[in-house]
Amino acid sequence: MAGVRSSRQAGFEKGGARLPSSFKVGVCQLKVSPQKNENLQKAKEMIMEAAGRGAHLVVLPEMFNCPYQARLFLEYAESFPEGPSVRMLAGLARARRIYVVGGSIPERAGDCVYNTSFIFGPEGELLGRHRKIHLFDVDLPGGVRVQESSTLSAGSEMTVISTDLCRLGVAVCYDIRFPELFRLMALGGAQVIAVPAAFNLTTGPAHWKITFRVRAVDNQLYLVGASPARDESSGYVAYGHSLVVGPWGEVLAEAAEGEEIIYAEVDLEKIEKVRRQLPLLQHRRDDLYELIFKQPEQK
Amino acid sequence: MAGVRSSRQAGFEKGGARLPSSFKVGVCQLKVSPQKNENLQKAKEMIMEAAGRGAHLVVLPEMFNCPYQARLFLEYAESFPEGPSVRMLAGLARARRIYVVGGSIPERAGDCVYNTSFIFGPEGELLGRHRKIHLFDVDLPGGVRVQESSTLSAGSEMTVISTDLCRLGVAVCYDIRFPELFRLMALGGAQVIAVPAAFNLTTGPAHWKITFRVRAVDNQLYLVGASPARDESSGYVAYGHSLVVGPWGEVLAEAAEGEEIIYAEVDLEKIEKVRRQLPLLQHRRDDLYELIFKQPEQK
């Protein structure tokens, strides 16, 4: 974990076990084609480039290996650990000794298909998998009609992972619409929340940036949004504008609409500073309201 | 309630009891001076003007009768119903047959002083009072240091009122920082949430507009923010930029920094339309997370 180690050492006190206070995140805004192999190749190239430029955490977009169409999710679905997409991601994380939030892919598990983000660590190990909790069933102005629930099953777990870099939360796209989930991740210690997502040309201009910014402001942590590049010829046109937002709501990096990798420095001390100045989490009136994540019921 | 009645009739089905589907809100961005009488006179003039222009709901800023300084809150505090500010507001509501969200004032109640918004109906009746739940104790960049808790007590109730116009939620300033409260008001049926507030020149440019917009987007309702006008000579300089935001997050009206009244049309059918297109409240996973408002404990 060469790159990560050097960053960690910068944060080390002599002989101590302090974690790194800052690291670089790279967000790969790739254009998704109907050819899965092409998508994997493109993802590989972009991850390699991001790692080469010093990113210790690399984030891919929602459904980076499959066009965003409900009927295609079944066709493109893979299982862990044998699917080619997850094998590639694990291999790259290990080869470059980085953390990879593998966007999302259609995951087959038994009779179900989920919209799942696999997260790999620098040994290539699976650190977690976030199955999109909130399915996107909408009928929007501009003719955007999606029914994820026609083919997908919904996840039932919140994902916050301890890594050597930070406490990392992961959500997928429509999950970001629900402030409860983000507050719960913050209360669960998340310092960075990565959100592979594919807003569209109706919701994107109206809501994308302000929603990421306010989730960051409310919870005083970093938000990373990873979108596919815009492809006007696609059945579902993604908004693009991948971004990284800091704990004061400041946009640290933002992509345009095409393929590109954006980078930003995550500084965990900034989180503490903002929380000292404006102690929102301390000022919650938990004597008056209560927000809890229930354990999913066993079936 | 002449004005309101005509609006209601527009929404009536023949012989039915349908409530109005739309009405005009007016937001008075007044400059607060150290002279309480001047503030009351200014508020009176602006409320009269707003009513004259057809506003059925008029909203004043936070601490509209008192400079925003913790030590002054004790000096300017009044009790209900005998205080001059609340008597004036009730009288104007009755005289113009309108709804008035009376910004906020320092309210004396026994040994306590609250930052309270009094809400009056068209008979001059008190419909509710919202005592700011979250006290603003911060130490911000730019030298903004406030300790409301040094003189104020915190409220412990959520305020959502049924009126002939709409279900009306009320919060005060820093309360808007807490998504839990706004979600709970939405779940409690609020269609419009009025927020008398006084952001400053640090938090205003960074967070004011996006926070109002995203509370509206998340909860798919109208948000009304009423700020004092900016007064650079004041000890606490308010941001201004009073605004009205619709349920898609669109800014319907926004003030600049000086004294002015802004107006916008609230269309309750728009709420239903947005909620059909993007059913956020339906899609909440209340099987997985739970958010409740606890009854305040009796002392």
Side-chain angles (χ1 to χ4, degrees), chain A residues 29-272:
Chain A
Q29 180 167 294
L30 62 88
K31 189 176 279 187
V32 177
S33 93
Q35 304 302 320
K36 189 194 273 194
N37 283 343
E38 276 181 23
N39 296 325
L40 297 190
Q41 182 58 31
K42 178 63 64 66
K44 178 177 178 177
E45 288 165 12
M46 293 179 95
I47 292 171
M48 295 285 278
E49 181 178 339
R53 290 175 183 267
H56 295 142
L57 171 63
V58 178
V59 184
L60 298 180
E62 185 180 21
M63 292 294 178
F64 78 90
N65 73 352
C66 168
Y68 188 83
Q69 291 178 44
R71 64 179 175 78
L72 294 182
F73 298 155
L74 303 182
E75 183 183 327
Y76 284 64
E78 316 178 1
S79 303
F80 179 85
E82 66 275 20
S85 303
V86 287
R87 279 194 291 125
M88 182 201 75
L89 295 173
L92 287 170
R94 186 173 56 244
R96 301 311 305 249
R97 308 199 70 74
I98 57 173
Y99 291 86
V100 173
V101 175
S104 79
I105 63 168
E107 176 206 10
R108 183 171 299 284
D111 292 338
C112 295
V113 174
Y114 297 95
N115 185 337
T116 302
S117 183
F118 288 89
I119 304 108
F120 296 98
E123 312 293 334
E125 76 279 24
L126 182 71
L127 295 174
R129 73 179 99 186
H130 181 74
R131 291 170 170 165
K132 189 176 191 174
I133 290 176
H134 303 88
L135 296 183
F136 192 49
D137 289 349
V138 303
D139 189 359
L140 296 169
V144 179
R145 192 168 181 283
V146 180
Q147 289 286 320
E148 278 194 331
S149 68
S150 67
T151 55
L152 296 181
S153 298
S156 59
E157 289 178 40
M158 181 168 74
T159 303
V160 182
I161 300 164
S162 283
T163 76
D164 275 354
L165 296 177
C166 65
R167 286 274 288 173
L168 176 65
V170 178
V172 173
C173 198
Y174 195 50
D175 286 337
I176 202 174
R177 293 288 195 171
F178 300 86
E180 294 91 340
L181 179 63
F182 282 69
R183 179 66 102 204
L184 284 162
M185 287 196 277
L187 296 175
Q191 296 165 304
V192 177
I193 302 179
V195 188
F199 275 39
N200 54 65
L201 299 191
T202 299
T203 57
H207 302 153
W208 170 262
K209 193 192 289 191
I210 58 171
T211 301
F212 276 85
R213 291 187 63 201
V214 171
R215 296 287 178 262
V217 169
D218 285 347
N219 297 298
Q220 305 185 306
L221 40 68
Y222 285 83
L223 257 286
V224 180
S227 170
R230 193 175 298 181
D231 176 0
E232 303 280 0
S233 71
S234 163
Y236 178 93
V237 184
Y239 178 56
H241 292 276
S242 297
L243 80 181
V244 182
V245 182
W248 186 251
E250 70 279 27
V251 177
L252 300 172
E254 180 178 351
E257 296 151 12
E259 278 196 333
E260 73 177 288
I261 307 175
I262 59 167
Y263 300 92
E265 198 70 15
V266 169
D267 177 358
L268 301 179
E269 289 181 2
K270 183 78 187 294
I271 293 174
E272 301 315 312

Side-chain angles (χ1 to χ4, degrees), chain B residues 28-270:
Chain B
C28 302
Q29 181 167 293
L30 62 88
K31 189 177 280 186
V32 178
S33 94
Q35 304 301 321
K36 189 194 274 192
N37 283 342
E38 276 181 24
N39 295 325
L40 297 190
Q41 182 58 32
K42 176 62 63 67
K44 178 177 176 177
E45 287 165 11
M46 292 180 96
I47 292 170
M48 294 286 277
E49 182 178 338
R53 290 176 184 266
H56 294 143
L57 171 64
V58 179
V59 184
L60 298 180
E62 185 180 22
M63 293 293 178
F64 78 91
N65 73 351
C66 170
Y68 187 83
Q69 291 178 45
R71 65 181 174 79
L72 295 181
F73 298 155
L74 303 181
E75 184 183 325
Y76 285 64
E78 315 178 1
S79 303
F80 179 85
E82 66 276 17
S85 303
V86 288
R87 279 194 291 123
M88 182 200 76
L89 295 173
L92 287 169
R94 185 173 58 244
R96 302 310 306 250
R97 310 201 69 75
I98 57 173
Y99 292 85
V100 174
V101 176
S104 78
I105 64 170
E107 177 206 8
R108 182 172 298 285
D111 292 338
C112 294
V113 174
Y114 298 94
N115 185 338
T116 302
S117 184
F118 288 89
I119 304 107
F120 296 97
E123 311 292 334
E125 76 279 24
L126 181 70
L127 295 174
R129 75 178 99 186
H130 180 75
R131 291 170 169 164
K132 190 176 190 173
I133 290 176
H134 303 87
L135 296 183
F136 191 50
D137 289 349
V138 302
D139 189 359
L140 295 170
V144 179
R145 192 168 181 284
V146 181
Q147 290 286 319
E148 278 194 331
S149 66
S150 67
T151 54
L152 297 181
S153 299
S156 58
E157 287 180 40
M158 182 169 73
T159 304
V160 182
I161 301 163
S162 283
T163 76
D164 276 355
L165 295 178
C166 65
R167 286 274 288 171
L168 175 66
V170 178
V172 174
C173 198
Y174 195 49
D175 287 337
I176 200 173
R177 293 287 195 170
F178 299 87
E180 294 91 338
L181 179 64
F182 282 70
R183 178 66 101 205
L184 284 162
M185 287 196 276
L187 296 175
Q191 296 164 303
V192 177
I193 302 179
V195 188
F199 275 39
N200 54 66
L201 298 190
T202 299
T203 57
H207 302 153
W208 169 263
K209 194 191 287 190
I210 58 172
T211 302
F212 276 86
R213 291 186 61 201
V214 171
R215 296 287 177 264
V217 168
D218 285 347
N219 297 298
Q220 307 186 304
L221 39 68
Y222 286 84
L223 257 285
V224 180
S227 170
R230 193 174 299 184
D231 177 359
E232 303 278 0
S233 70
S234 164
Y236 178 94
V237 184
Y239 179 56
H241 292 275
S242 297
L243 79 182
V244 182
V245 182
W248 186 250
E250 70 279 27
V251 176
L252 300 171
E254 179 179 352
E257 296 151 13
E259 278 196 331
E260 73 177 287
I261 307 174
I262 59 166
Y263 300 92
E265 198 71 14
V266 169
D267 178 358
L268 301 180
E269 290 181 2
K270 182 79 188 292

